[in-house]
Amino acid sequence: MTEKPVCVTGASGFIASHIVRELLGEGYRVRGTVRKNPESYPYLLSLPGAAERLELVNADLLAKGSFDHAVAECEYVIHTASPFEISISDPQSDLVDPAVNGTESVLESCIKAGSVKRVVLTSSIAAITDEPENDKIYTENDWNTMSSLSRNPYYYSKTLAERAAWDFIMHKRTGFDLVAINPPLVLGPSLSPALNTSKQMIRDIMMGEYPAIMDMNWGFTDVRDVAKIHRLAMETKRAEGRYLCTGDTIHMRDLVALIKSSGFTGYRLPNVDLSGKTGSALITLLSFTKPRNVGKYIRTQIGRTMNCDITKLQSDFSFAFMPVKTSIIETIEDLVRWGHLKTA
Ligand code: NDP
């Protein structure tokens, strides 16, 4: 194990805070980057091992050279910071600029540091495709070629950021390698009171934002598994390239049934099933009444299932996923605990 701190960018976030916890739990020293005063993050500072081994420093994806101090002396950098939002006003400045320029900025700082051996990048399934083909099995060789500033711009930002990282590694003499992790929707308990976008989707389903069951399938992975996968990607010498890490896929109908049968009552769960052919045509029409990015997301996902081949992850890391049902139930319990869910 390295005595040097491991840098985790965007340590305040849903996934990164779990990465920080995972690393502290394994005895690492951690340097997390945040945007506010470190005292604003009691949920990080109170983690087991934090008092002795966690340092929080300021860095911003949009400020050139901002990560120089954060990565100095580090051998490993886990770059997770990136805006994850669907409803934005300007896709270029709200999503693409921080995702792409921020990734390049972190990598430039790693070159300057001279000590970095590996960067683990939190990419996304969004960089694989934004409109899965049902009869295809996706692998690490697939790239999203359809998103744009006007079509699923969050997907676009993640695709451009990951591409920028690989271009950087290919064209510059970095002295370090890159491993990318491409998770699907990530669920599970939050360490912070904030509600991130993936958990908001579960909240929205329970709070009546989706009045009908749609023909939607989501791949999920628990945040604690995602954190472990980042650590394994950092520690495993032979790890290379990209890693798909979809744990399980669940249809919206089964998700709603699971929630109902798990004793969560009093919520405005969808009670009409529009997952058939006619229903899907209606949903497609109705999607045009939703905010532009939400409508586009629905239209590119409806009736589609993303099948992922995770052989590479399993053979390099021998990884066993937490069951998706456990993760969903614990997500809902956590939403209740933080006051994000209110009964009707
Ligand atoms: P969060 O919104 O919880 O975390 C995003 C993090 O990025 C926060 O720490 C945020 O800081 C930081 N950040 C955003 N903009 C900037 C900026 N300009 N400068 C510095 N930091 C910034 O999201 P998640 O934890 O869900 O996502 C984390 C990563 O995982 C992202 O890269 C996302 O694309 C990826 N991902 C997420 C999935 C999911 O389902 N959650 C699935 C696949 C990939 P602050 O707290 O100050 O806002």
Side-chain angles (χ1 to χ4, degrees), residues 209-223:
E209 296 283 328
Y210 298 96
I213 291 174
M214 302 181 280
D215 189 11
M216 294 274 229
N217 281 286
W218 290 291
F220 290 122
T221 301
D222 189 272
V223 67

Side-chain angles (χ1 to χ4, degrees), residues 9-17 33-36 41 43 59-63 66-67 79-85 94 98-99 102 121-126 154 157-158 181-187 192 194-199 219-221 223 226 230:
T9 70
S12 54
F14 172 52
I15 294 179
S17 55
T33 76
V34 289
R35 288 199 281 182
K36 294 189 220 151
Y41 305 96
Y43 60 93
D60 196 300
L61 294 170
L62 291 166
S66 190
F67 289 85
H79 176 41
T80 300
S82 201
F84 179 15
E85 286 171 49
D94 295 344
L121 172 72
T122 314
S123 184
S124 169
I125 205 88
Y154 164 71
S157 73
K158 293 302 288 181
I181 309 297
N182 299 76
L185 275 173
V186 179
L187 295 182
S192 87
L195 177 63
N196 84 309
T197 297
S198 48
K199 288 182 69 177
F220 290 122
T221 301
V223 67
V226 173
H230 280 76

Side-chain angles (χ1 to χ4, degrees), residues 123-134:
S123 184
S124 169
I125 205 88
I128 304 286
T129 181
D130 79 349
E131 188 168 2
E133 293 169 35
N134 290 344

